[in-house]
């Protein structure tokens, strides 16, 4: 097989794309490998559901932020991966079954041109999730700075994955080669018909995360500030989102998710997380929000504006 990253002029191509889009070359490079890794999962026959920030960006074009991790649920599909039948039990048998499935996935999964390993950080003790590193041969990882990891991280576990929309995905590099009429020179490693979780599910999960994490002083704002703008961008695109099959509206979806304990509670407009102020917690949150600017390639909104958009939507759509 002949992939784009095997081409002699791959580095030059990365530089061209970076120059045209006014981006760091390392970000363009990583964007390509994120796309290639997701393609590899599909190509090997795994059943995959895709959610989170990268899904919002690549699947639906709702945000202009580099989200370096892939949030996934992975099933056996046509592979020999052992199926997980119990995600919640804390019993030894269930834990070891989940562990065996994840370890098998790490052995079976291959990404041409990269190496796979289970993240060396201590795994979640109940093995309800696993992090796999896709270590790619990055020529420009120094461009990523402190905000981005020099590898693609797959965060895999159980998650709500319905409703979903099948989307075709691409990368900046693929888009440039398509513009040049050169895509036919290489094997096509653009993921097709990817099951991307509906943005309204992601919106409710992000609002729930903000409501839970913001009041907890032990949680660093850097771990949740991306949710503000992500949520606001989904809301701004509400009229153009795919149909929410099976639900009358967002209120019905939120009620079901709360009943199934996928949300702590339906978000409320008076939540502390949606009311910027002058407290030390808000100063730290605003500082962390501003610090992630290098992860964006499009225009940003202020955290105050994002919160105003969130409050109006919660009031009108959920209350």
């Amino acid at each position: 097989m002949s992939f784009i990253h095997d081409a002699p002029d791959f580095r030059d191509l990365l530089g061209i794309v970076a120059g045209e889009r006014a981006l760091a070359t390392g970000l363009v490079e990583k964007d390509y490998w994120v796309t290639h890794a997701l393609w590899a999962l599909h190509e090997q026959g795994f059943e995959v559901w895709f959610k989170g920030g990268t899904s919002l960006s690549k699947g639906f074009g709702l945000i202009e932020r580099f989200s370096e991790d892939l949030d996934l649920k992975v099933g056996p599909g046509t592979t020999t991966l052992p199926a997980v039948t119990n995600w919640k039990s804390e019993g030894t048998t269930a834990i070891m079954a989940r562990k065996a499935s994840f370890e098998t996935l790490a052995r079976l999964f291959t990404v041409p041109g990269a190496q796979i390993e289970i993240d060396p950080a201590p795994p979640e003790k109940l093995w309800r999730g696993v992090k796999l590193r896709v270590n790619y041969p990055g020529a420009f990882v120094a461009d990523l700075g402190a905000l981005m990891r020099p590898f693609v991280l797959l965060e895999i576990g159980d998650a709500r994955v319905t409703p979903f929309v099948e989307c075709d995905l691409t990368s900046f590099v693929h888009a440039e080669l398509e513009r040049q009429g050169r895509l036919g020179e290489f094997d096509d490693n653009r993921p097709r018909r990817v099951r991307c979780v509906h943005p309204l599910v992601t919106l409710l999960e992000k609002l729930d995360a903000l409501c839970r994490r913001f009041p907890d002083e032990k949680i660093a704002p850097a771990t949740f500030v991306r949710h503000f703008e992500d949520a606001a961008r989904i809301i701004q695109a509400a009229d153009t989102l795919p149909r929410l099959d099976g639900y009358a509206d967002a209120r019905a979806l939120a009620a079901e998710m709360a009943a199934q304990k996928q949300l702590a509670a339906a978000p409320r407009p008076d939540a502390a997380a949606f009311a910027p102020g002058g407290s030390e917690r808000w100063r730290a949150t605003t500082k962390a929000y501003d610090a992630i600017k290098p992860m964006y390639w499009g225009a940003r909104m202020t955290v105050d504006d994002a919160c105003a958009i969130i409050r109006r939507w919660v009031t009108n759509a959920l209350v």
Side-chain angles (χ1 to χ4, degrees):
M1 302 183 80
S2 176
F3 293 109
I4 299 168
H5 58 265
D6 295 323
D9 64 344
F10 181 57
R11 292 189 183 190
D12 294 336
L13 178 62
L14 293 174
I16 290 170
V17 176
E20 290 178 346
R21 296 181 177 269
L23 296 170
T25 310
L27 292 176
V28 175
E29 182 179 44
K30 186 164 187 177
D31 175 68
Y32 169 81
W33 285 98
V34 163
T35 306
H36 182 57
L38 188 57
W39 167 84
L41 268 175
H42 277 256
E43 183 70 7
Q44 285 186 253
F46 294 104
E47 190 173 25
V48 181
W49 293 266
F50 187 28
K51 63 185 304 182
T54 314
S55 175
L56 294 178
S57 171
K58 287 192 169 296
F60 301 102
L62 296 177
I63 64 173
E64 295 181 320
R65 172 173 69 82
F66 286 99
S67 183
E68 59 178 338
D69 304 335
L70 297 177
D71 296 324
L72 306 164
K73 181 175 180 178
V74 177
T78 60
T79 75
T80 57
L81 179 69
V84 175
T85 58
N86 192 329
W87 288 97
K88 298 185 181 299
S89 173
E90 297 183 11
T92 300
T93 300
I95 292 173
M96 296 310 294
R98 294 192 292 266
K99 180 176 183 290
S101 182
F102 288 136
E103 290 179 338
T104 302
L105 173 60
R107 290 196 304 271
L108 292 178
F109 179 40
T110 60
V111 177
Q115 299 295 320
I116 309 299
E117 65 172 339
I118 294 179
D119 192 271
E124 198 273 330
K125 65 180 180 179
L126 298 179
W127 283 92
R128 289 182 175 142
V130 72
K131 295 180 180 181
L132 298 185
R133 289 188 180 187
V134 179
N135 296 308
Y136 61 91
F140 301 98
V141 292
D143 292 351
L144 296 174
L147 285 176
M148 304 284 280
R149 301 180 182 94
F151 51 84
V152 176
L153 188 67
L154 310 185
E155 296 189 343
I156 302 170
D158 190 29
R160 183 189 178 101
V161 294
T162 56
F164 62 80
V165 180
E166 291 186 343
C167 302
D168 295 336
L169 311 184
T170 191
S171 72
F172 291 137
V173 168
H174 288 92
E176 173 61 21
L177 286 174
E178 186 172 29
R179 186 190 68 79
Q180 295 180 11
R182 294 183 55 199
L183 268 182
E185 299 175 17
F186 308 98
D187 288 291
D188 191 350
N189 57 349
R190 291 172 296 174
R192 300 293 190 180
R193 300 180 66 84
V194 179
R195 294 173 175 178
C196 294
V197 176
H198 196 286
L200 284 181
V201 174
T202 303
L203 170 61
L204 291 168
E205 290 176 341
K206 285 180 176 291
L207 295 182
D208 180 64
L210 288 171
C211 290
R212 289 184 290 103
R213 297 180 188 180
F214 176 82
D216 189 341
E217 299 281 348
K218 297 188 296 296
I219 299 178
T223 65
F224 60 75
V225 288
R226 65 190 184 280
H227 297 323
F228 287 108
E229 186 164 351
D230 287 359
R233 295 294 184 188
I234 298 171
I235 292 167
Q236 286 184 320
D239 292 340
T240 64
L241 294 180
R243 181 175 175 175
L244 189 64
D245 290 333
Y247 300 89
D249 51 28
R251 185 181 291 108
L253 176 62
E256 179 185 281
M257 292 176 69
Q260 295 180 358
K261 301 188 184 305
Q262 294 161 350
L263 304 176
R268 295 193 54 81
D270 58 355
F274 309 147
S279 68
E280 181 58 34
R281 182 62 166 170
W282 265 111
R283 285 193 290 273
T285 297
T286 301
K287 182 178 179 180
Y289 183 88
D290 293 340
I292 63 173
K293 181 179 178 180
M295 299 177 71
Y296 291 78
W297 70 85
R300 295 201 69 193
M301 64 175 67
T302 67
V303 70
D304 291 54
D305 288 344
C307 285
I309 291 169
I310 291 168
R311 288 195 304 271
R312 285 194 298 270
W313 184 82
V314 172
T315 299
N316 295 330
L318 299 184
V319 177

